[in-house]
Amino acid sequence: MRLTPRLRLNPALLIGGILTAIFIGTALLSLVWTPEPPTRVRIAMRLKAPLEAGLLGTDHFGRDVASLLMAGAWNSLAIAWPAVLLGAAIGIAIGCAAAAWKGAADEIAMRVSDVVFAFPAVLSAIMIGALLGSGPTAAILAIAVFNIPVFARVTRGVALQIWTLDYIAAARSLGKPPLRITLEDVLPNIAGALIVQVTIQLALAILTEAGLSYLGLGVRPPNPSWGRMLSDAQTYLSQAPHLAIAPGLAIALSVLGLNLLGDGLRDAIDPTLRSRTEPV
Amino acid sequence: MSKRFLAAALIISASFSPALAAKTSLVIGMPIEPPGLDPTVAAPVAIREVTWANLYEGLVRIDQDGKVQPLLAKRWDISPDGLTYTFHLQSGVKFHDGSTFDSADVKFAFDRARAPTSTNAQKQIFAPIASVETPDPATVVIRLKETSGNFLYYLGWGDAVIVAPETAENNKASPVGTGPFKFKSWTRGDRVELVRNPDYWQTDKTKLETVTFRFINDPQAQVAALKAGDLDAFPNLSAPELFSELKKDARFTAVAGNTEGEIVAGMNNAKKPFDDARVRRALMHAVDRKALVEGAYSGYGQPIGSFFSPNHPAFVDMTAVIPYDPEKAKALLAEAGYGNGLSITIKAPQMAYASRSAELLAAMFAEVGVDLKIIPTEFPAKWIEEVFKNKDYDVTIVAHTEPLDIDIFARDNYYFNYKNDKFKALIAEAGKTTGENARFAKYAEAQKILAEDVPALFLFQLPKLGVWNAKLKGLWENSPVPANDVTDVSWTD
Amino acid sequence: MLRLILSRLLSLALTLVAVSLAIFLILEVLPGDPAAIMLGTAAREDTLAALRHELGLDQPALVRYFHWIGGLLHGDLGQSITYKMPVSTLVTERMAVTFPLSLMAILISTTLALPLGVTAAARRDGPVDRAVLAFSSLGVAVPNFWIGILFILFFATWLGWFPAGGFPGWSGSFWVALKALVLPAVALALPQAAVLTRVTRSATLEVIGADFVRTARAKGVDKGATLRRHVVPNALIPVTTILGLQLSFFFGGAILVENVFNLPGLGRLAYQALNQRDLVVIKDIVLIFSGLVIVINFLVDIGYAILDPRLRSRA
């Protein structure tokens, strides 16, 4: 169950790894170089087709679509990454605590996560946006909130299994405090499963961020975001259909990459994990 | 349930017979659904676009050219001191519920609008009224506390339509007025249906039997519905980028007229650096209005240099007062002490015209060394709270859609925080001046003051992109008041 | 068994109360004054106060909360602030779009996912399995609103086979109305079908590996019959669980798709109500959505306990 030192390479891992590397690489590259400044407006060059101006054409302000996509990759990561980390940090803590102390604490944690699960995610994210004003903070918090119960449940599930192991029971009877058992024995043993979950949640977070920015929440303009590029593209659908293709492909490929990476990692770390962390 | 569908299908096939006579139905598309159908208790423009002049009528009406015309009042006398208005009412007018319209209804409607419990969105229209008297059923005498040059004009608005005491309470959901059409049904989220009022007092005035308003928010869907023939008209298309395509289509008449909406980027005049007129002028010099209209509204929309609708007879073009001139802008900024750059924010609502204009302003300001950060601000909820009420903003951008609203720059405590005593006095005078030419001259002067002082960046007039079936006539090209008046609409064959 | 149901019912009730409190609190702190939104920027302070009084917004929060809950217990969802009509009527009207839409999406999703998942599992690691896995990986990754936009582009704008959006209503032709829901339903269904395919595949694989299946095969029952008689019925248990959870997702996910296709459904109603700060409507819809999820989870739990005696004794 420990993270085996040698990962077995499988196709999912390979393809997922490559796609994810391209995604992250593009995002990082956009910080230092893009073909054109992504926010440069050129009214005279509005709605040009691909290759007519730039690799992927220009949008309704004459901005270079390829540059916008690259910068959009960074903005997408800049929301998804902190959101998942925040959700994971809180969720893992709750899950570990629930597994360690059980009883009332466990019951309360699980009921609260039921309540969060019960809220319609998109609607609640819109409400959080309305509450905090649209912008990166609101998007990060909205996504993080829904990651907490996911991590809490997954962590609790795998942690409970560790707690039933004989050597843990022995440590407990010797008076080792639950906190130390959690930190020294439980966490290292469940790290693999959690890393897999982080990858999958990252993919979901990128999808959610795209949905939110499609509805006008998320990073602020003129910072490009894939979701907003799609909502802009929709109004120019009959004049410039190419605008609706590239951002959607970018979202789909990034999410696909992370999902495959997650699947591949899971198989590589421990094939038996599959049944326990199958996403819902 | 399937039985009902079957029945519906049968009815449809039974009623399907070739129409030889001219068509008498009209389906109109609108981008936004009205929240309720009573213009006397809520502000949204969409309410007026369905109900005004179709369901409800006022003592007077505004015509296509923005002029006041008699309606429920066939004529009126104004006392020489301008304080007493005597309205002589039409006879034989009935409300849709069958009750008779008379002076008591007028008194009820106006007293209701100015009562302490009133929720009329334009209560100030009724503020000058001292009393409403009804010497007989066909006469109404309104006494004013002070002269009001635009009083008659305001009575033509949707906020001043006449409603009956028995039905006023329920008008939001089942409206009852005196207009040429009666309310039939409202499928929320989809459509409002009206039918011809057989007892309308102007006999044979209308040619249409049924009028349906359908609410389609998405621009692509609006155009698709027009092309498919599901809609006969879309008087105010929300997709300028699709308008030129429809213009080329011979099946449609496509006219770009003006609305009453001035798109302005309001500035917080009480806050540094906007308290310095040089900064405001510099920012105005930095704006290429033509490019802005091109990028934000596909080239439709008349650039404006002040705050007055081109629909109004007193309009003067002021765009040349502070033209696009980035060099001048930089010089003025340097003079004001911001030669090394300036960093400000704009709270931009989510509407396409606003968010796009904000992005373009940011790009234009960057050229003169001003960094404009965009803060998307949900409209109306957050915008009203943060910008309008709390005045917590640098720059913002909205369309002001009320007709003849130049006086907002004279209001105390309005969100611009603009204080100009000379302007305020001028607007007050204009409001009291009853002679038309004298009043218009004062409005011209007021427009000039604003153009030079730039309390807000005047950008462009929101166009009314009207598209309708080429066989339809009688629809308005401009909208001097928010309306889809279909009284005179007919099919040519 | 009775004790299990009772304890589950208690926790169901407690969760519902917690959800209602959470919704109420969130809306309490949400900025934006419904009265100011209704009356626009020309309204004077006394007019606003009059409207707030009329809407009951000037009462203390606690009174309003109990008023809301009290109404709910009597089956009264209250009056919409913007439309001035009972929320129950509004919701029923919108359900006429969202319910058939979700139903179609579920039908499409299950008819795609179940055969694909079972076939893939039966031919594990073969070309069919790989193709199905590739389809499901891609399906999970594609945002449903993008599928919607692409559908509009291809099937409405270019081919003209389907309307680009909008809903003609059930009062007219049944087929025309149904046609308007096809594209949105497929857009909604595809990503969910991908998830369901994966679940079906792995559930089937797990059952195939179970002892009783191996026994059946060893006894000489042919592969197809084993699959039909033993594997699929058992694999359906976890699949139904996921389907139950997805039901809520269909209603929730409809918000984006209803926006893309401009459909007057429950999701759009919620979105509009939020924009207009029609607090009564938002409260009710969020509670309906989350209540639905909670009740479905409850039923799934109980159903599990009935189907699987091991769980019964454990709980």
Side-chain angles (χ1 to χ4, degrees):
Chain A
M1 200 160 284
R2 241 174 212 291
L3 196 79
T4 38
R6 198 174 57 85
L7 291 177
R8 277 164 300 164
L9 202 63
N10 54 45
L13 189 63
L14 187 69
I15 301 173
I18 292 174
L19 283 175
T20 307
I22 294 175
F23 173 41
I24 296 176
T26 314
L28 291 175
L29 179 63
S30 80
L31 294 179
V32 290
W33 179 85
T34 48
E36 298 276 342
T39 55
R40 200 174 82 198
V41 168
R42 296 168 298 179
I43 293 299
M45 298 190 53
R46 306 176 66 217
L47 303 175
K48 295 275 187 241
L51 297 174
E52 202 181 324
L55 187 64
L56 295 171
T58 61
D59 76 350
H60 58 292
F61 288 158
R63 293 176 298 199
D64 181 50
V65 173
S67 310
L68 286 170
L69 271 186
M70 288 178 66
W74 171 256
N75 286 329
S76 178
L77 264 186
I79 300 274
W81 192 235
V84 172
L85 281 193
L86 184 63
I90 302 174
I92 291 172
I94 293 175
C96 282
W101 282 281
K102 305 202 181 67
D106 184 19
E107 187 62 21
I108 290 171
M110 289 307 111
R111 289 307 131 223
V112 171
S113 81
D114 273 352
V115 173
V116 179
F117 265 133
F119 272 81
V122 179
L123 200 60
S124 312
I126 298 170
M127 270 200 269
I128 293 177
L131 198 63
L132 302 176
S134 79
T137 329
I140 290 173
L141 282 183
I143 298 172
V145 164
F146 289 93
N147 271 297
I148 296 174
V150 175
F151 279 102
R153 293 218 162 162
V154 171
T155 308
R156 174 179 173 271
V158 282
L160 274 178
Q161 289 183 348
I162 306 291
W163 275 93
T164 58
L165 297 177
D166 291 341
Y167 77 96
I168 304 268
R172 259 174 87 185
S173 62
L174 288 175
K176 193 170 178 182
L179 185 64
R180 270 188 60 202
I181 299 183
T182 301
L183 291 176
E184 288 169 15
D185 304 306
V186 178
L187 270 179
N189 275 302
I190 62 174
L194 295 181
I195 288 170
V196 169
Q197 199 61 35
V198 164
T199 323
I200 290 164
Q201 292 307 117
L202 254 183
L204 267 177
I206 284 166
L207 266 182
T208 315
E209 192 275 332
L212 288 182
S213 54
Y214 174 78
L215 291 173
L217 307 156
V219 293
R220 290 173 173 170
N223 282 321
S225 83
W226 292 341
R228 200 176 44 248
M229 287 174 78
L230 278 179
S231 85
D232 281 336
Q234 207 182 344
T235 55
Y236 296 95
L237 210 50
S238 52
Q239 288 158 290
H242 66 272
L243 291 177
I245 308 289
L249 269 183
I251 299 170
L253 289 178
S254 320
V255 175
L256 178 68
L258 282 163
N259 272 337
L260 287 178
L261 186 66
D263 286 355
L265 274 178
R266 175 167 47 201
D267 289 348
I269 294 169
D270 175 8
T272 61
L273 264 178
R274 178 173 279 269
S275 59
R276 271 176 282 129
T277 53
E278 191 71 57
V280 170
Chain B
M1 199 185 265
S2 63
K3 252 186 204 159
R4 236 183 68 209
F5 291 136
L6 193 64
L10 283 174
I11 291 166
I12 283 165
S13 54
S15 65
F16 187 80
S17 55
L20 292 172
K23 215 172 141 183
T24 54
S25 65
L26 176 68
V27 186
I28 294 185
M30 280 171 53
I32 295 169
E33 178 177 29
L37 293 172
D38 186 349
T40 65
V41 297
V45 162
I47 302 177
R48 284 133 185 87
E49 288 177 342
V50 171
T51 64
W52 188 83
N54 297 329
L55 286 172
Y56 301 108
E57 296 177 312
L59 289 181
V60 298
R61 58 169 294 153
I62 311 295
D63 69 8
Q64 262 204 75
D65 303 317
K67 295 210 179 67
V68 177
Q69 301 290 352
L71 196 61
L72 289 176
K74 55 188 170 193
R75 58 190 172 80
W76 50 87
D77 313 308
I78 306 172
S79 65
D81 62 1
L83 288 174
T84 307
Y85 285 67
T86 308
F87 292 95
H88 304 282
L89 307 182
Q90 289 286 356
S91 53
V93 178
K94 277 189 163 47
F95 281 100
H96 298 149
D97 65 348
S99 62
T100 311
F101 157 83
D102 62 24
S103 57
D105 297 307
V106 179
K107 180 171 169 53
F108 165 77
F110 290 177
D111 284 348
R112 170 176 174 255
R114 60 200 191 95
T117 54
S118 154
T119 56
N120 193 297
Q122 301 281 346
K123 211 173 163 184
Q124 78 281 358
I125 293 180
F126 309 94
I129 298 180
S131 70
V132 183
E133 292 152 29
T134 54
D136 64 69
T139 315
V140 175
V141 179
I142 297 179
R143 291 186 206 285
L144 302 184
K145 293 176 212 154
E146 55 189 9
T147 54
S148 169
N150 293 309
F151 185 62
L152 269 180
Y153 173 77
Y154 288 141
L155 290 187
W157 285 15
D159 308 270
V161 296
I162 307 303
V163 294
E166 303 83 20
T167 49
E169 205 45 49
N170 300 322
N171 275 347
K172 259 186 128 173
S174 51
V176 171
T178 59
F181 293 93
K182 294 203 290 189
F183 172 73
K184 185 183 162 211
S185 67
W186 180 5
T187 312
R188 267 79 181 172
D190 186 38
R191 65 183 68 200
V192 169
E193 289 179 279
L194 312 182
V195 290
R196 193 176 127 99
N197 172 10
D199 304 320
Y200 188 51
W201 56 278
Q202 297 191 70
T203 328
D204 295 331
K205 173 94 171 144
T206 51
K207 309 275 186 300
L208 298 171
E209 289 294 334
T210 62
V211 181
T212 306
F213 291 91
R214 286 195 52 196
F215 313 113
I216 305 181
N217 192 252
D218 178 67
Q220 296 289 333
Q222 293 168 5
V223 173
L226 272 169
K227 285 188 169 169
D230 296 342
L231 295 178
D232 300 316
F234 214 106
N236 206 347
L237 198 74
S238 33
E241 52 277 359
L242 301 171
F243 187 67
S244 25
E245 188 185 321
L246 291 164
K247 261 189 130 163
K248 288 180 218 137
D249 196 325
R251 289 176 295 167
F252 301 109
T253 306
V255 189
N258 281 317
T259 67
E260 287 298 299
E262 295 86 9
I263 296 176
V264 301
M267 290 175 282
N268 196 343
N269 284 259
K271 197 176 167 187
K272 263 187 178 313
F274 310 102
D275 55 347
D276 186 338
R278 287 172 302 188
V279 174
R280 303 197 301 263
R281 279 184 205 126
L283 295 179
M284 191 74 257
H285 274 304
V287 177
D288 181 352
R289 294 187 184 94
K290 217 173 153 279
L292 187 92
V293 174
E294 189 68 38
Y297 232 79
S298 295
Y300 300 100
Q302 183 176 339
I304 51 172
S306 185
F307 195 78
F308 219 73
S309 162
N311 290 335
H312 197 280
F315 169 78
V316 187
D317 186 352
M318 292 282 172
T319 45
V321 176
I322 301 189
Y324 174 52
D325 187 347
E327 290 313 312
K328 189 90 179 277
K330 280 186 214 160
L332 275 171
L333 281 170
E335 199 186 310
Y338 298 100
N340 298 325
L342 174 62
S343 190
I344 50 180
T345 61
I346 182 166
K347 289 201 166 166
Q350 72 279 15
M351 291 85 79
Y353 74 79
S355 56
R356 283 183 190 164
S357 297
E359 283 198 56
L360 291 168
L361 283 181
M364 288 169 185
F365 285 3
E367 301 288 316
V368 298
V370 174
D371 173 36
L372 182 69
K373 276 202 182 52
I374 300 171
I375 304 174
T377 304
E378 184 199 356
F379 188 92
K382 272 218 146 168
W383 188 86
I384 289 187
E385 193 86 5
E386 291 179 5
V387 177
F388 193 77
K389 266 199 194 150
N390 300 338
K391 298 162 190 79
D392 174 20
Y393 77 105
D394 287 352
V395 184
T396 186
I397 180 166
V398 280
H400 281 268
T401 53
E402 263 120 31
L404 195 63
D405 51 359
I406 190 170
D407 68 295
I408 60 176
F409 288 97
R411 281 183 206 167
D412 291 323
N413 211 20
Y414 205 68
Y415 78 96
F416 302 120
N417 273 333
Y418 179 60
K419 283 182 193 69
N420 182 332
D421 291 334
K422 193 176 149 212
F423 179 79
K424 206 170 155 181
L426 189 63
I427 289 295
E429 264 174 60
K432 285 181 193 143
T433 310
T434 39
E436 190 160 89
N437 288 339
R439 190 166 70 245
F440 286 1
K442 292 206 164 66
Y443 280 135
E445 204 186 325
Q447 290 174 58
K448 187 140 204 295
I449 295 179
L450 292 186
E452 285 165 352
D453 213 24
V454 212
L457 304 174
F458 304 111
L459 304 176
F460 63 99
Q461 196 74 19
L462 197 64
K464 174 172 144 48
L465 302 176
V467 182
W468 49 84
N469 192 303
K471 289 176 189 150
L472 269 178
K473 58 171 206 247
L475 279 156
W476 286 17
E477 293 186 4
N478 296 309
S479 53
V481 284
N484 285 313
D485 177 9
V486 295
T487 319
D488 296 323
V489 174
S490 63
W491 293 88
T492 51
D493 66 326
Chain C
M1 192 68 198
L2 195 67
R3 255 193 63 199
L4 172 78
I5 293 182
L6 279 180
S7 82
R8 283 288 170 192
L9 264 179
L10 185 70
S11 97
L12 173 92
L14 283 177
T15 319
L16 278 175
V17 171
V19 167
S20 75
L21 263 173
I23 298 167
F24 191 81
L25 283 178
I26 293 172
L27 294 184
E28 246 347 80
V29 292
L30 207 61
D33 171 9
I37 293 162
M38 289 293 289
L39 292 177
T41 51
R44 308 190 317 181
E45 204 41 61
D46 59 335
T47 325
L48 288 171
L51 185 58
R52 269 185 225 121
H53 178 72
E54 196 185 305
L55 297 173
L57 293 171
D58 50 354
Q59 286 173 355
L62 213 61
V63 174
R64 277 179 289 128
Y65 177 74
F66 282 110
H67 188 77
W68 175 46
I69 297 298
L72 285 179
L73 292 177
H74 289 99
D76 176 14
L77 295 178
Q79 278 246 328
S80 155
I81 292 175
T82 41
Y83 288 122
K84 262 275 170 72
M85 66 180 307
V87 178
S88 49
T89 319
L90 271 179
V91 168
T92 320
E93 276 179 7
R94 299 301 179 101
M95 267 297 198
V97 176
T98 302
F99 188 68
L101 176 67
S102 309
L103 204 67
M104 276 170 80
I106 291 167
L107 276 179
I108 295 168
S109 158
T110 41
T111 42
L112 267 178
L114 297 186
L116 280 181
V118 173
T119 317
R123 312 216 160 95
R124 190 179 187 176
D125 293 333
V128 177
D129 187 26
R130 283 183 202 288
V132 168
L133 272 182
F135 155 78
S136 68
S137 301
L138 203 64
V140 178
V142 177
N144 57 14
F145 61 94
W146 185 50
I147 303 183
I149 294 173
L150 289 185
F151 278 2
I152 293 178
L153 185 61
F154 287 111
F155 296 109
T157 309
W158 288 349
L159 296 171
W161 291 352
F162 290 94
F167 186 68
W170 295 110
S171 53
S173 156
F174 173 71
W175 294 113
V176 171
L178 200 66
K179 206 170 149 184
L181 293 183
V182 171
L183 292 186
V186 179
L188 195 56
L190 281 185
Q192 295 311 306
V195 174
L196 204 59
T197 307
R198 302 183 105 195
V199 174
T200 310
R201 180 180 171 275
S202 56
T204 313
L205 279 179
E206 221 160 275
V207 182
I208 286 179
D211 293 340
F212 70 94
V213 176
R214 273 189 239 142
T215 318
R217 289 280 288 143
K219 277 199 277 177
V221 184
D222 80 274
K223 201 177 172 187
T226 325
L227 215 55
R228 268 196 308 277
R229 240 177 277 150
H230 300 286
V231 177
V232 173
N234 280 293
L236 273 181
I237 299 175
V239 171
T240 325
T241 318
I242 299 299
L243 201 61
L245 289 172
Q246 279 191 339
L247 270 182
S248 64
F249 194 90
F250 278 114
F251 287 104
I255 295 175
L256 274 168
V257 169
E258 282 175 7
N259 257 306
V260 173
F261 286 95
N262 199 54
L263 296 173
L266 216 49
R268 261 179 82 81
L269 178 66
Y271 190 60
Q272 280 170 341
L274 199 60
N275 248 309
Q276 291 290 331
R277 292 293 187 275
D278 194 335
L279 303 177
V280 184
V281 174
I282 314 172
K283 268 191 300 209
D284 288 342
I285 293 186
V286 178
L287 193 66
I288 291 171
F289 273 136
S290 24
L292 210 64
V293 178
I294 295 169
V295 170
I296 288 173
N297 279 342
F298 167 75
L299 292 178
V300 166
D301 271 1
I302 297 295
Y304 243 51
I306 294 169
L307 285 175
D308 190 340
R310 279 174 304 161
L311 278 175
R312 215 182 311 168
S313 55
R314 221 189 291 163

